[in-house]
Amino acid sequence: MAGGRGERFWPQSRLAMPKHLLPIVGDRALLVQTIERLLPMIPAERVLIITNRQQAPAIRALCPALPAANIVAEPVGRDTAAAVGLALVLVRRRDPQATFAMLPADHVIHDTVAFRDDLERAFAAAEREPLLVTLGIRPTEPATGFGYIHRGPARAGQDGVFDVSRFVEKPTLPVAQGYLATGEYLWNAGMFFWRVPVVAEAFAKHVPDLWADLGQFDAALAAGQPLDAVLDAVYPTLKKISVDYALIEKATNVAVIPARFDWDDVGAWPAVMRHFPADAAGNVRRGATVVEQAADNLVVSSADHLVAVLGVKDLIVVHTPDATLVCPKDKAQEIKVLLKRCEAAAELQRFL
Amino acid sequence: MAGGRGERFWPQSRLAMPKHLLPIVGDRALLVQTIERLLPMIPAERVLIITNRQQAPAIRALCPALPAANIVAEPVGRDTAAAVGLALVLVRRRDPQATFAMLPADHVIHDTVAFRDDLERAFAAAEREPLLVTLGIRPTEPATGFGYIHRGPARAGQDGVFDVSRFVEKPTLPVAQGYLATGEYLWNAGMFFWRVPVVAEAFAKHVPDLWADLGQFDAALAAGQPLDAVLDAVYPTLKKISVDYALIEKATNVAVIPARFDWDDVGAWPAVMRHFPADAAGNVRRGATVVEQAADNLVVSSADHLVAVLGVKDLIVVHTPDATLVCPKDKAQEIKVLLKRCEAAAELQRFL
């Protein structure tokens, strides 16, 4: 899944150039890093990308190894249940008994060996029993920005696989602290593994209206209509609901595997600092920068533009050719308010 | 006098584009505003600019009304006594009895009527008696960045003209507060008015070695050597001393006229804010900017680059095509330390 607006990485991210198309961490786009993490296990012909029309050209350019037909562009966003349903229909047309994974395109994972090992275990679990399998991330802090998974008892005969007791929405800080203390809660990173018949049954049972519409979609493709035309006709009418609400939180056959790899969703600019070495004063600097009497700042520029920072602390300064952001680290979540101001001013909309 | 490096307005000011060549305040270069302030009184043929070789081309482009010969470029900087001496030699060659003024090119003065009226009075005073006349600025705050003039008794028969009791160097804050309390101190703005024979006598008396070298310079011009060649040969050897040290603080025939016009030397970025309207939160913004939860900032960009500022206070953010500065207002005086860092790094010298 490679959609979304990536507002929190403005001004590097834009409507047509969101977070996963940028080398926010590392030297290639996060989407490219995600695909390369999979390639030794999953050949390029079997990697499908669900994106949107604005981003599709950039994705085609970034991923030349993928067949063009594997890059599927939603005409409009209809939340994640529709995207998963679209993937399900397309995979089922290739193999009605296939096992497949849904993975986000914009997470940072350094330990690719452990990642692929966990993926093997998740695929195996999904093939052994009719389960909706998810990988849960062991929390490293009482984050309030993620949903949590309360794991239940270990499943008999499946090593390291647990029943899910319940999914919980983003908690308050004290609640999150309580979750961490139990050792029984995992972060929901939106990584799912299932067989086509199992997830199809879940759709039919829990979101029958959406499932019926997806059947219509499947029929049109079977009748030979081109994909984009069918998407144009059907997609805008699909029920708009998240896959968590629609399926995962309702299903009783969800299992969770605690992940063994490192994981960071790099939710906003301050998170980037964890992935680069800092100077002696704690500044993380990329591109041409000069700092003086400045500590714990993130300063991002390019080779041909100098960003000079003097006497400031805990600031984010990001320069791009047509826009520059200056904000304290603890305000990074409010960039969207800034962008609303740009939306409201005709002369500033070109910077979105 | 239009030289200097203007480091304190980096990144807008550069080695070859210092403060007086920029529209730091107003919509034209400060030098152009300075000349236009004079033009109704003093025709363009009688305006001479003492600058340096790096800036001369830009000045010629900015001041097409001035004869090319009136733009005189020092091959190297030798402080202000040499520049005044150079002006004196050039003016004396035009008219040995002339009265002339030395004026800085980078001050902001809005009340041009009062300015020209004060200039008339200063010229008149210099013509009536053999005086070195200066205009003193009435201090509006106990500034520690200026030299002060302690005025003595009013001169008999010259309305509004005072003897100078003494010149004092940049004072400490308590000393400056004491000066303000007396009402007898004025800021030294470096504006001088004198007749050629009077200032020539002061040179001969107080800096005889420099005066002798200037005589050599005059002789070479009289012998028909071209100005730039003479400058190349003589100028680098001239004594390096300020006109204040060399002449003004030593002479006993200095008079001061308290100025009636508004005046601001706009010494650094924070001073710019006084000359532009602020938004409701006290932000002064130029070019394409957007602010959110931000107060009392100076945000400068251009029409084709958006500077977005979120959740910060009392910050200076200045964007130019190849460099951006971020610093708190109270650190603006330390930009030169930042530029020293750039000087020290080969790959950053192009941003100076």
Side-chain angles (χ1 to χ4, degrees), chain A:
Chain A
M1 279 193 286
R5 301 178 55 169
E7 286 181 325
R8 286 176 296 179
F9 287 90
W10 189 90
Q12 280 201 349
S13 64
R14 302 294 171 97
L15 288 178
M17 189 56 74
K19 176 186 165 198
H20 56 267
L21 299 188
L22 292 169
I24 293 284
V25 171
D27 52 9
R28 284 154 307 153
L30 295 181
L31 169 64
V32 173
Q33 296 181 47
T34 299
I35 292 170
E36 291 185 354
R37 212 178 285 128
L38 295 170
L39 280 185
M41 287 180 67
I42 299 168
E45 313 86 73
R46 295 200 186 170
V47 174
L48 272 80
I49 297 176
I50 310 283
T51 183
N52 59 45
R53 295 271 164 94
Q54 294 97 312
Q55 297 169 23
I59 291 184
R60 276 187 207 102
L62 276 173
C63 306
L66 261 60
N70 286 19
I71 296 164
V72 181
E74 300 172 330
V76 291
R78 300 301 291 171
D79 216 328
T80 50
V84 170
L86 171 58
L88 168 58
V89 167
L90 295 174
V91 172
R92 187 172 65 173
R93 292 184 55 75
R94 296 181 179 214
D95 178 356
Q97 298 301 318
T99 308
F100 71 102
M102 293 294 305
L103 300 171
D106 61 352
H107 295 169
V108 171
I109 295 163
H110 295 292
D111 186 349
T112 54
V113 172
F115 174 77
R116 288 195 286 262
D117 188 58
D118 282 353
L119 252 60
E120 293 283 11
R121 296 193 299 135
F123 278 121
E127 284 175 352
R128 199 171 303 145
E129 292 185 83
L131 295 172
L132 309 174
V133 178
T134 183
L135 280 170
I137 308 297
R138 293 177 205 271
T140 50
E141 49 170 346
T144 57
F146 302 130
Y148 283 71
I149 304 167
H150 186 202
R151 69 169 166 74
R155 284 192 75 82
Q158 292 236 52
D159 192 34
V161 182
F162 296 81
D163 283 336
V164 168
S165 157
R166 61 178 183 129
F167 283 83
V168 285
E169 292 296 301
K170 296 175 185 177
T172 61
L173 182 61
V175 170
Q177 287 166 331
Y179 289 170
L180 251 71
T182 68
E184 296 173 355
Y185 284 81
L186 299 158
W187 287 335
N188 178 4
M191 299 179 172
F192 302 109
F193 306 80
W194 40 45
R195 291 185 59 238
V196 164
V198 176
V199 66
E201 193 184 314
F203 266 91
K205 188 170 173 187
H206 301 298
V207 267
D209 44 354
L210 176 57
W211 186 236
D213 290 340
L214 288 165
Q216 210 186 343
F217 178 72
D218 193 24
L221 288 180
Q225 291 182 37
L227 178 59
D228 278 344
V230 181
L231 284 169
D232 278 336
V234 177
Y235 214 78
T237 69
L238 294 182
K239 186 182 180 115
K240 196 170 184 176
I241 185 171
S242 78
V243 70
D244 295 287
Y245 268 123
L247 244 64
I248 309 298
E249 296 179 14
K250 287 184 182 151
T252 53
N253 59 333
V254 185
V256 63
I257 296 177
R260 295 173 190 175
F261 52 84
D262 63 296
W263 176 90
D264 188 352
D265 85 327
V266 198
W269 279 118
V272 168
M273 297 185 75
R274 291 195 285 264
H275 298 278
F276 292 95
D279 67 17
N283 301 295
V284 169
R285 300 156 56 181
R286 304 188 71 186
T289 64
V290 59
V291 301
E292 176 64 35
Q293 303 164 41
D296 303 321
N297 303 286
L298 174 64
V299 187
V300 179
S301 189
S302 55
D304 56 0
H305 188 98
L306 178 65
V307 174
V309 158
L310 164 67
V312 296
K313 190 169 155 50
D314 289 318
L315 217 57
I316 291 165
V317 181
V318 179
H319 170 270
T320 68
D322 71 342
T324 297
L325 169 72
V326 178
C327 81
K329 280 193 250 177
D330 61 8
K331 293 275 182 184
Q333 299 290 345
E334 300 186 43
I335 292 175
K336 49 186 172 292
V337 185
L338 203 62
L339 299 186
K340 284 219 173 0
R341 281 198 181 272
C342 293
E343 274 173 45
E347 76 279 12
L348 300 183
Q349 287 168 2
R350 66 203 160 100
F351 299 112
L352 292 170

